[in-house]
Amino acid sequence: MTSEAIADSKPRLSVAGLWKVFGPKAASIIGTPDADLPRPELLERTGCVAAVKDVSFDVAPGEVFVVMGLSGSGKSTLVRCLTRLIEPTAGSVRLDGSDVAAMSTRELMAVRRNEVAMVFQHFGLLPHRQVLDNVAFGLEIRGEGKEKRYKRSREIIDLVGLKGYENHYPDQLSGGMQQRVGLARALAVDPKVLLFDEPFSALDPLIRRDMQNEVIRLQDDLKTTMVFITHDLSEALKLGDRILIMRDGEVVQIGTPAEVIAAPADDYVKDFVSEIPRSHVLTLKWVMRPQRPDDSLEGPEMDINTIIRNAAQAALASAHPVKVIENGQLVGIVDDEAILRSVVAEEEVSA
């Protein structure tokens, strides 16, 4: 999803001024000088811990919005506040304009059953139920008839690559297959927003990569709005249209993968991204220069959102600089020197 499309969209999910403070008289901390204290000092002075501090962001329809940070950064608390699995201390969470934080218990249950689904790190499958019934569970809770929920569940089982395993029990499946069941169960209810809380961190690396690719494939097919929690930067860069980086409960930076790599907000983010090959993430937008009168117009044309690494072979093979195009218009030039700086230098460092 392009940054322009995100900017032009009305948010599906809008979070504003969200706080979660654990401890005595938690709400009284907000708005006082104590709220600005580092965590250890706040705990010592008040007995409170600010797990989420004044977090705000919007998520566009169909966007994959990744929240990442180290252990203790507040990312898992944040995602649980979105559906009030953990009650926020202050702030608003709006789903298509309706404030989840202000909903009654009945309204909140309806949202959890019909509009938002969650995939956890621990699969949470029902061990005594076969795959088909595990996938259909959310529809059963919603009150769907057996024929209708089984029909929908079989469609989703096929979609996530589990056809033929409908009658297996969870303990007969590998970890990756169990997570596919969890994903299918979430998708079966056709949610407006799908929340992932580090769903693949317990999986082996190869299975984890397969599941990441599965999320990308499903997103291409379904265009579901996703909020994805992870501590893995590579996973964040691979999946996210935009990334929110957290530290000690606060937002450090929000941006596209390219923005985070090319323009880190501070030394914390810079350190985070230091080992990521820039040419694998940055687009031609970040290495192009303005057109000059003596530039040849015979070179190949490439879209401004082309990844540098993907453009390298054609660019270096051409006798003329690359013409960078955006919405049908020439917006810049990329010459061999810019490509070589990004690609060859990285290869020499990693060799």
Side-chain angles (χ1 to χ4, degrees), residues 117-131:
M118 195 161 185
V119 181
F120 296 93
Q121 176 182 338
H122 302 291
F123 318 127
L125 303 181
L126 301 171
H128 61 287
R129 290 196 174 200
Q130 295 175 337
V131 167

Side-chain angles (χ1 to χ4, degrees), residues 16 77 106 135 169 190 204 209 230 273 311 325 344:
T77 301
R106 179 175 293 183
V135 174
Y169 288 93
D190 193 22
D204 293 336
R209 185 184 64 189
T230 183
V273 304
I325 306 298
V344 177

Side-chain angles (χ1 to χ4, degrees), residues 139-156:
L139 297 172
E140 182 181 348
I141 294 297
R142 186 190 287 179
E144 300 281 0
K146 187 173 183 179
E147 183 177 350
K148 186 175 180 180
R149 68 176 184 260
Y150 278 0
K151 180 177 184 295
R152 170 67 176 168
S153 297
R154 287 191 174 94
E155 291 171 355
I156 298 299

Side-chain angles (χ1 to χ4, degrees), residues 28-305:
S28 66
I29 301 297
I30 301 168
T32 71
D34 286 344
D36 296 324
L37 292 174
R39 276 185 177 173
E41 292 182 34
L42 178 64
L43 180 61
E44 182 178 356
R45 182 186 291 253
T46 68
C48 293
V49 174
V52 176
K53 297 179 64 175
D54 197 19
V55 170
S56 300
F57 60 88
D58 292 336
V59 184
E63 180 182 8
V64 179
F65 187 83
V66 174
V67 180
M68 71 155 298
L70 299 177
S71 178
S73 62
K75 57 190 185 298
S76 290
T77 301
L78 171 62
V79 76
R80 282 165 168 77
C81 285
L82 300 182
T83 56
R84 289 170 55 193
L85 292 175
I86 294 176
E87 285 286 349
T89 306
S92 65
V93 178
R94 296 188 178 276
L95 179 62
D96 285 337
S98 298
D99 189 359
V100 175
M103 288 179 177
S104 67
T105 301
R106 179 175 293 183
E107 291 170 327
L108 183 60
M109 290 301 295
V111 164
R112 290 176 180 171
R113 288 178 179 175
N114 301 303
E115 299 185 40
V116 180
M118 195 161 185
V119 181
F120 296 93
Q121 176 182 338
H122 302 291
F123 318 127
L125 303 181
L126 301 171
H128 61 287
R129 290 196 174 200
Q130 295 175 337
V131 167
L132 181 62
D133 283 312
N134 264 285
V135 174
F137 184 68
L139 297 172
E140 182 181 348
I141 294 297
R142 186 190 287 179
E144 300 281 0
K146 187 173 183 179
E147 183 177 350
K148 186 175 180 180
R149 68 176 184 260
Y150 278 0
K151 180 177 184 295
R152 170 67 176 168
S153 297
R154 287 191 174 94
E155 291 171 355
I156 298 299
I157 286 169
D158 191 16
L159 185 67
V160 302
L162 286 175
K163 188 173 183 178
Y165 290 91
E166 293 88 345
N167 297 323
H168 284 63
Y169 288 93
D171 63 2
Q172 296 175 304
L173 305 176
S174 68
M177 293 173 75
Q178 288 183 46
Q179 191 57 284
R180 285 176 187 265
V181 178
L183 180 57
R185 181 176 57 192
L187 290 170
V189 299
D190 193 22
K192 289 182 178 179
V193 179
L194 190 54
L195 306 176
F196 295 85
D197 187 14
E198 302 206 58
F200 309 143
S201 60
L203 302 177
D204 293 336
L206 290 178
I207 300 174
R208 182 172 186 158
R209 185 184 64 189
D210 288 344
M211 289 303 300
Q212 291 167 354
N213 291 335
E214 187 71 11
V215 168
I216 293 170
R217 182 185 69 80
L218 289 170
Q219 179 62 5
D220 287 342
D221 289 343
L222 302 176
K223 302 296 187 292
T224 303
T225 305
M226 299 182 181
V227 178
F228 195 103
I229 307 298
T230 183
H231 65 270
D232 186 319
L233 179 60
S234 296
E235 185 168 74
L237 295 171
K238 182 175 183 178
L239 298 177
D241 292 312
R242 287 187 301 147
I243 301 169
L244 183 158
I245 298 178
M246 294 186 72
R247 178 182 57 208
D248 294 338
E250 298 181 87
V251 175
V252 180
Q253 184 170 3
I254 299 176
T256 65
E259 288 167 347
V260 170
I261 294 292
D266 61 12
D267 288 342
Y268 176 78
V269 180
K270 187 176 181 180
D271 215 36
F272 240 119
V273 304
S274 60
E275 295 186 7
I276 299 295
R278 293 165 64 86
S279 68
H280 293 207
V281 179
L282 298 188
T283 63
L284 296 182
K285 169 185 176 180
W286 296 96
V287 294
M288 71 182 186
R289 59 168 174 79
Q291 182 187 5
R292 297 194 291 249
D294 59 340
D295 283 326
S296 169
L297 295 181
E298 297 181 22
E301 293 185 357
M302 295 188 186
D303 186 82
I304 192 171
N305 294 312

